[in-house]
């Protein structure tokens, strides 16, 4: 299994509080992603990174920010959590280029509840 | 932007039977990857099968095979001899390549919940 760790795995917070989710990988993969999963929507991309300090927005980036200061860590921050951000968040990694398959490897998910 | 459509929210089939999950996508790109991921109740995302658009031959992995119709932009998954452990949510996904230096993103469909009945 790919070495991907998400923390925390479960969190309950209140509206208006900041929240940071961490994704840590031991695979030295260049690409890292944050997705959210909601019923009826599948997985939707929030932000992704294609290298240290190189990030870009996905389709549902409003209300979220990310940072990647090291290859192994990709942080997702909700500056002021809202109830609409209650979801399951998945981190994923991949490597591209010759010999790689394009497959994304996923963490186990973090369930966030905003009251 | 690419879109992926899974028109079957739920399906069920008897154990040992064959089931086909449908997926269509929309893109203007000529080179891309298509994937089927499985998400059992454990919530872990597991790759089932992968297809490269430039390959005409349909991918197969044991009991899992795809019917890739590039012109029709269709990518269905066939599960043969279905087993109880196949019960899961199945997601079709598309990855395009806008450049060699980034923008390799995976776009998912909304999923099909498959139940295998004993």
């Amino acid at each position: 299994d790919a070495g991907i760790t998400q923390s925390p795995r479960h969190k309950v917070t209140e509206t208006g509080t900041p929240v940071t989710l961490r994704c840590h990988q031991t695979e030295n993969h260049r690409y890292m992603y944050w997705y959210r999963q909601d019923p009826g929507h599948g997985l939707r991309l929030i932000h992704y990174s294609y290298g240290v300090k190189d990030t870009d927005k996905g389709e549902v980036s409003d209300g979220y920010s990310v940072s990647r200061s090291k290859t192994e860590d990709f942080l997702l921050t909700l500056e002021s959590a809202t109830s609409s951000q209650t979801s399951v968040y998945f981190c994923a990694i991949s490597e591209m280029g010759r010999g790689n398959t394009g497959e994304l490897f996923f963490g186990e998910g973090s369930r966030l509840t905003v009251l | 932007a690419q879109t992926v459509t899974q028109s079957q929210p739920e399906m069920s089939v008897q154990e040992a039977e064959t089931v086909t999950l449908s997926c269509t996508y929309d893109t203007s790109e000529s080179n891309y990857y298509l994937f089927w991921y499985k998400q059992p109740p454990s919530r872990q995302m597991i790759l089932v099968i992968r297809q490269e658009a430039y390959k005409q031959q349909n991918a197969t992995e044991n009991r899992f095979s795809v019917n890739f119709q590039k012109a029709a932009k269709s990518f269905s998954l066939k599960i043969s001899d279905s087993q109880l452990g196949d019960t899961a949510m199945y997601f079709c996904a598309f990855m395009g390549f806008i450049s060699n230096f980034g923008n390799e993103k995976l776009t998912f469909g909304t999923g099909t919940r498959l139940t295998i009945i004993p």
Side-chain angles (χ1 to χ4, degrees):
Chain A
D1 291 340
I4 309 169
T5 305
Q6 291 185 227
S7 59
R9 295 287 314 281
H10 301 273
K11 185 173 182 65
V12 179
T13 191
E14 293 187 350
T15 298
T17 59
V19 176
T20 296
L21 305 181
R22 179 181 184 239
C23 179
H24 178 78
Q25 62 147 327
T26 59
E27 305 296 323
N28 201 36
H29 281 5
R30 182 157 64 116
Y31 295 88
M32 298 187 76
Y33 310 80
W34 278 107
Y35 285 87
R36 60 177 289 175
Q37 181 178 14
D38 305 287
H41 292 278
L43 280 80
R44 293 179 291 174
L45 183 64
I46 305 171
H47 282 280
Y48 67 104
S49 170
Y50 46 95
V52 174
K53 298 186 179 180
D54 291 323
T55 65
D56 204 351
K57 296 178 180 180
E59 61 179 307
V60 290
S61 60
D62 287 349
Y64 301 95
S65 62
V66 291
S67 65
R68 190 170 180 198
S69 58
K70 299 183 291 184
T71 298
E72 58 266 34
D73 289 327
F74 192 33
L75 304 180
L76 176 70
T77 297
L78 292 65
E79 300 290 347
S80 178
T82 67
S83 58
S84 65
Q85 294 176 312
T86 292
S87 186
V88 178
Y89 292 85
F90 283 93
C91 174
I93 65 174
S94 74
E95 192 56 84
M96 301 304 298
R98 185 173 300 177
N100 292 295
T101 65
E103 175 185 357
L104 263 65
F105 300 93
F106 286 84
E108 296 179 313
S110 297
R111 181 176 294 278
L112 174 66
T113 302
V114 183
L115 302 175
Chain B
Q2 292 82 11
T3 59
V4 178
T5 302
Q6 294 180 251
S7 59
Q8 306 152 311
E10 295 186 8
M11 296 184 72
S12 60
V13 66
Q14 292 289 137
E15 188 177 7
E17 292 185 348
T18 295
V19 61
T20 299
L21 282 58
S22 65
C23 173
T24 58
Y25 58 95
D26 187 25
T27 184
S28 58
E29 299 180 30
S30 59
N31 188 25
Y32 49 87
Y33 289 162
L34 293 163
F35 303 84
W36 279 98
Y37 277 86
K38 166 185 177 180
Q39 187 181 43
S42 67
R43 205 168 69 189
Q44 183 65 43
M45 294 289 288
I46 302 165
L47 179 67
V48 175
I49 200 164
R50 168 184 176 274
Q51 175 80 41
E52 297 168 22
Y54 69 87
K55 291 186 177 179
Q56 293 185 339
Q57 186 173 6
N58 289 326
T60 61
E61 288 288 342
N62 300 313
R63 297 182 295 107
F64 299 88
S65 62
V66 298
N67 183 4
F68 173 48
Q69 302 290 328
K70 190 172 184 179
K73 296 180 182 176
S74 172
F75 183 61
S76 61
L77 174 70
K78 185 172 81 171
I79 306 174
S80 303
D81 186 26
S82 57
Q83 301 175 359
L84 296 180
D86 296 332
T87 292
M89 195 77 162
Y90 287 81
F91 292 99
C92 178
F94 171 100
M95 175 181 280
F97 300 99
I98 300 175
S99 74
N100 291 326
F101 299 100
N103 296 316
E104 286 83 357
K105 298 174 286 186
L106 200 59
T107 300
F108 286 86
T110 53
T112 296
R113 184 173 302 281
L114 176 66
T115 301
I116 308 301
I117 302 168

